[in-house]
């Protein structure tokens, strides 16, 4: 997720809990991504934090579904062979009208996904600066995302709100 952190004008927070909450520090993102795991005891706390953010960026995890169910703008990063519920050949979700899907074009190529998300984030920040943005960005991230482009059969375990093991949450100024 490091390329995403270079987009100016965003505040990143992580909603990752459990042993993977330490990914923010272990991956060297202290000071760039705020770890909010100490504020999360249950899904109610998670919902409150998602609601306080402007945007959620996540892989296919419970936080992505929660954000979609809450009607929060959410970008979901999907493995090349994503679950059936995400259908094929589309960037939206019939289940969550506020969700945008970013799929791997080739198995294991998370770098391509991250670069497309970075471009979309840059466009949103630019539009926001010109007063034309539809949303203010918040992210939950997962530091376990493979951004080397190496073949990887496992999906990253993080979010960006960015949300999940370590993709980020683009966070508004509400927290």
């Amino acid at each position: 997720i490091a390329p995403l952190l270079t987009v100016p004008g965003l505040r990143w927070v992580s909603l990752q809990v459990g042993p993977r909450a330490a990914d923010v520090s272990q991956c060297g993102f202290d000071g760039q991504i705020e770890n909010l795991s100490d504020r999360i005891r249950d899904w109610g706390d998670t919902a409150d934090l998602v609601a306080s953010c402007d945007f959620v960026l996540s892989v296919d995890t419970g936080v992505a579904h929660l954000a979609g169910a809450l009607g929060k703008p959410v970008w979901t990063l999907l493995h090349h062979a994503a679950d059936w519920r995400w259908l094929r050949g589309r960037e939206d979700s019939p289940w969550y009208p506020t969700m945008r899907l970013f799929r791997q074009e080739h198995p294991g190529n998370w770098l391509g996904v991250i670069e497309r998300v970075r471009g979309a984030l840059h466009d949103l920040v630019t539009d926001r600066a010109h007063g034309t943005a539809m949303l203010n960005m918040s992210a939950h991230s997962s530091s376990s995302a493979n951004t080397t482009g190496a073949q990887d059969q496992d999906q990253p375990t993080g979010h960006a709100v960015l949300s999940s093991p370590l993709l980020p949450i683009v966070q508004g100024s509400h927290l």
Side-chain angles (χ1 to χ4, degrees):
I1 64 163
L4 303 179
L5 302 176
T6 65
V7 177
L10 302 175
R11 177 177 168 222
W12 295 85
V13 301
S14 174
L15 301 183
Q16 182 60 41
V17 296
R20 300 303 304 258
D23 285 354
V24 171
S25 294
Q26 292 173 355
C27 291
F29 295 128
D30 284 335
Q32 295 176 294
I33 300 173
E34 183 179 359
N35 182 347
L36 299 182
S37 63
D38 62 339
R39 298 184 192 184
I40 302 172
R41 295 176 313 253
D42 56 30
W43 281 104
D45 293 338
T46 304
D48 288 345
L49 289 169
V50 166
S52 73
C53 294
D54 299 311
F55 176 85
V56 173
L57 175 61
S58 178
V59 294
D60 183 8
T61 65
V63 173
H65 291 273
L66 177 63
L70 292 171
K72 186 60 66 172
V74 56
W75 290 356
T76 305
L77 286 59
L78 298 174
H79 192 276
H80 183 264
D83 191 72
W84 65 269
R85 79 188 88 187
W86 304 118
L87 307 174
R88 292 184 184 193
R90 45 190 310 164
E91 293 183 1
D92 66 333
S93 168
W95 323 119
Y96 307 116
T98 60
M99 185 175 283
R100 180 174 175 187
L101 305 175
F102 290 84
R103 300 172 187 271
Q104 285 182 336
E105 293 177 358
H106 307 286
N109 183 5
W110 288 109
L111 183 58
V113 173
I114 294 296
E115 286 303 318
R116 287 194 314 277
V117 169
R118 185 182 185 285
L121 284 171
H122 184 269
D123 291 347
L124 276 173
V125 169
T126 300
D127 290 348
R128 182 175 67 183
H130 292 97
T132 59
M134 295 297 292
L135 57 94
N136 192 356
M137 295 302 298
S138 278
H140 171 205
S141 163
S142 168
S143 58
S144 63
N146 180 349
T147 59
T148 64
Q151 293 297 315
D152 177 16
Q153 297 304 314
D154 296 325
Q155 180 171 339
T157 57
H159 298 125
V161 153
L162 294 179
S163 123
S164 170
L166 190 71
L167 273 182
I169 282 179
V170 180
Q171 175 56 42
S173 59
H174 313 315
L175 294 179

